Amino acid sequence: MSAKAKKISKESIVTMFMDYVLEHEEVPKSVYKFCKVNSIQESDFYIHFGSISTLQKGIWTTFFDNSSNVMMKNEEYQDFSNRDKMLTFFYTFFEVLTLNRSYVLFALEQSNNTLKNMEQLKGLRRNIKEFAKGLIVAGNENKKLTKHNPQFFSEGAWLQFMFLLNFWKSDDSAGFEKTDVAIEKSVNTIFDVFDNTPLDNILDFGKFLYKESFA
């Protein structure tokens, strides 16, 4: 099979794109330029992505899919409580982000327009909300009273993720251990609110945020 006949995989294109961005410190101006630099056919690119913008969104979806695959390989995962499933997701997802930290930081700061930078997270937002909604729907099946609102919880999970993402971006602790603490405290706080438990953890989380933000 000739080099031209070989099909380029989706994963290969993602890797090429991330390498291009980090080496050139900019997003390629066009699909043509990106393909020419990497010696691939435009037709191979379009098999997987419709545009550079679609590719950028797809990278975040790939991060989510990789995290989900890692979680599902854990045979004990299905027996976890909803709280532990959410903790596992955030821990795993931020491990994936850390492995790709240079690209992620560039992607989130490539423009002075925050809304433009956030545009690439649309698919990820949908995935995280669906994941959170699924946890609550499953939890509600065993409850006759005090059922939780899946839509409300899923929106809260997305806002929680955005907080953690901004926290992680600024975290300079060894092994990003402060982010791990923030994940634990924030997830426990969210579930304590939903379980109508005392507000001690909420106050503890508030103190932690204050300390990290203003120390």
Side-chain angles (χ1 to χ4, degrees), residues 82 135-150 152-153 191-197:
N82 283 346
L135 294 183
I136 295 304
V137 169
N140 282 343
E141 290 178 355
N142 299 321
K143 295 181 179 179
K144 294 182 179 180
L145 300 173
T146 64
K147 291 188 176 183
H148 298 144
N149 186 317
F152 176 78
F153 183 83
F191 277 91
D192 284 348
V193 169
F194 267 69
D195 292 338
N196 297 312
T197 54

Side-chain angles (χ1 to χ4, degrees), residues 67-68 70-71 74 77 80-96 128 131-132 135 153 157 160-161 164 177-192 195 201 205:
S67 300
S68 297
V70 169
M71 290 191 299
N74 183 344
Y77 175 79
F80 286 177
S81 66
N82 283 346
R83 185 186 298 241
D84 286 339
K85 285 181 178 178
M86 184 64 81
L87 277 169
T88 300
F89 168 72
F90 279 129
Y91 284 140
T92 305
F93 192 82
F94 278 94
E95 284 180 7
V96 171
I128 288 180
F131 170 75
L135 294 183
F153 183 83
Q160 179 184 14
F161 167 73
L164 290 171
E177 58 186 17
K178 289 182 179 178
T179 296
D180 286 342
V181 173
I183 289 172
E184 180 182 7
K185 288 181 177 290
S186 65
V187 169
N188 284 331
T189 295
I190 289 292
F191 277 91
D192 284 348
D195 292 338
N201 277 1
F205 183 49

Side-chain angles (χ1 to χ4, degrees), residues 100-141:
N100 299 279
R101 185 173 172 86
S102 294
Y103 172 80
V104 172
L105 293 180
F106 175 87
L108 294 174
E109 299 170 358
Q110 61 182 293
S111 171
N112 291 326
N113 186 328
T114 302
L115 290 178
K116 185 176 180 180
N117 290 335
M118 293 299 103
E119 175 74 15
Q120 64 192 296
L121 301 182
K122 278 188 174 181
L124 177 63
R125 180 176 186 271
R126 181 171 58 252
N127 288 333
I128 288 180
K129 289 187 65 176
E130 284 300 314
F131 170 75
K133 189 181 297 183
L135 294 183
I136 295 304
V137 169
N140 282 343
E141 290 178 355

Side-chain angles (χ1 to χ4, degrees), residues 25-39:
E25 297 184 342
E26 66 176 7
V27 174
K29 304 297 184 184
S30 66
V31 172
Y32 169 80
K33 181 175 183 180
F34 169 71
C35 291
K36 185 174 182 180
V37 168
N38 288 284
S39 300

